[in-house]
Every structure is written in structure tokens, then in C-alpha cells.
Amino acid sequence: MNTVIKPLRIGDPILRKVAQPVAASELGTHELQQLIRNMLETMRAYKGVGIAAPQIGVSKRVIIMEANNNPRYPDADPVPLTILINPELELLNDAREQGYEGCLSLGGLRGIVSWCPKVRYWGMTPEGERLERFAAGFHARIIQHEVDHLNGRLIVDRVADSRSYGFTEELRAAEIIP
Ligand code: NI
């Protein structure tokens, strides 16, 4: 059974915890498969491009990314469906790019954050195989956002200028974001 879960929103302490690594013994279990299905259903139902397990109330190190003609991010490069357990991340240079970012746990609130445009990331697939990738642009941005979730970090911690905050609807009306 797949279940769409209302994403936890900022204020819920689970979002602020450092999530626990998934043990090797959990791979292939019904519980882990169910968690992944629920995350995927929820991400797609809310039209997100990424989700982390704590956002549906499970403090474990599991993330999903998928971006494919997402109406919320019309100019974004596609990112293949990627399910990653115990992901690790390395920033590959000192450059930073900036732009408006949202989050399913912020309910439409966005702010300008910066991210490293080039990263390497790795982790395990649900089948227990190692996956490693180099990512740039939007793809690099999503993985940084999702790994932040696993470390209890949210966009509000990354915004340098609090005056950039706004709700998607108002920012669009003012033509600040597309
Ligand atoms: Ni988020």
C-alpha cells in the first residue's frame, strides 16, 4: 500500500534531528521498502523534486530526487529518479551560485540560498549497490538540500538575507520568480 503523507513542516522537532544511518540489516526489509514508496508517493503528490525521510516523520538517512519537467522549476535540468541510502556529499569547488529555493516543509515560503555548483555524491541504492555520481547545476543543488535535511538543516538556516523570504504566490505576482 502506498501512502501520501502530509510533509512535516518547520517547527516539528523531527526536522531538526540528525537522522540515523540505515543499517545493512535493514536493506531489503519491508519497512524500508514501505518508507521509500511513501516518500516517492509524497514527493510526487506534492510536486517536489526531492524529499528526505525526516520530512515524512522517519529520522533515517534516505533521500529521493527526481526532476522531470516539474512545473515548479520550469528551467531546471532533468534529474533521473534517484533513491539513495546513507548519502554522502563532497563539494568540489569554492564557487557558489544563488537563487530562490523552496521546500515541502516550508509550505510555499522561499528564500535566496547559495549552493556549490559542482559536487560528488555517493551512497547505497535500495538494492544495496554503491552509487556514485558527479553532479552540477540543479542536480547539485537538490542533493545539497536533501542532505541538509538529514543533518537537521533547513533553508531558513541558509538564507543570508532574510528580506529575500517570500511566499511563492507573492514572489510570482511581483515577478521576482517565474
Ligand atoms: Ni526540503
Side-chain angles (χ1 to χ4, degrees):
M1 193 183 70
N2 296 349
T3 314
V4 173
I5 295 165
K6 186 174 178 286
L8 304 190
R9 294 202 300 182
I10 186 167
D12 191 309
I14 293 176
L15 292 172
R16 291 311 199 166
K17 285 171 70 174
V18 175
Q20 289 298 306
V22 174
S25 60
E26 293 179 77
L27 290 175
T29 60
H30 177 75
E31 285 77 11
L32 187 64
Q33 287 171 354
Q34 188 68 60
L35 169 64
I36 289 167
R37 277 200 296 268
N38 292 348
M39 287 170 64
L40 187 58
E41 286 279 306
T42 301
M43 181 186 75
R44 286 176 172 167
Y46 284 87
K47 302 199 188 326
V49 291
I51 193 166
Q55 291 185 279
I56 63 165
V58 179
S59 192
K60 284 186 188 281
R61 302 187 82 81
V62 183
I63 63 165
I64 300 183
M65 302 182 278
E66 181 184 45
N68 207 341
N69 295 320
N70 187 301
R72 281 172 49 146
Y73 301 92
D75 302 324
D77 300 328
V79 178
L81 174 61
T82 304
I83 302 165
L84 212 53
I85 293 160
N86 299 339
E88 302 277 354
L89 179 65
E90 182 189 6
L91 308 183
L92 292 181
N93 61 33
D94 294 332
R96 294 293 181 268
E97 289 178 358
Q98 280 203 332
Y100 270 96
E101 198 157 295
C103 177
L104 298 181
S105 294
L106 288 181
L109 191 63
R110 295 192 186 204
I112 295 179
V113 298
S114 61
W115 63 90
C116 180
K118 261 198 163 137
V119 301
R120 178 173 76 97
Y121 70 84
W122 63 97
M124 238 176 342
T125 69
E127 292 75 36
E129 282 161 15
R130 182 184 160 90
L131 183 145
E132 178 173 344
R133 280 193 191 135
F134 290 90
F138 193 60
H139 191 162
R141 188 175 171 180
I142 301 174
I143 184 79
Q144 284 165 81
H145 180 115
E146 300 313 329
V147 170
D148 263 359
H149 274 301
L150 301 183
N151 294 323
R153 238 177 266 131
L154 296 166
I155 286 173
V156 292
D157 311 326
R158 295 280 190 198
V159 170
D161 181 356
S162 59
R163 288 173 303 176
S164 72
Y165 279 122
F167 287 96
T168 304
E169 212 179 312
E170 280 74 7
L171 292 168
R172 281 212 180 108
E175 296 184 350
I176 293 168
I177 60 168

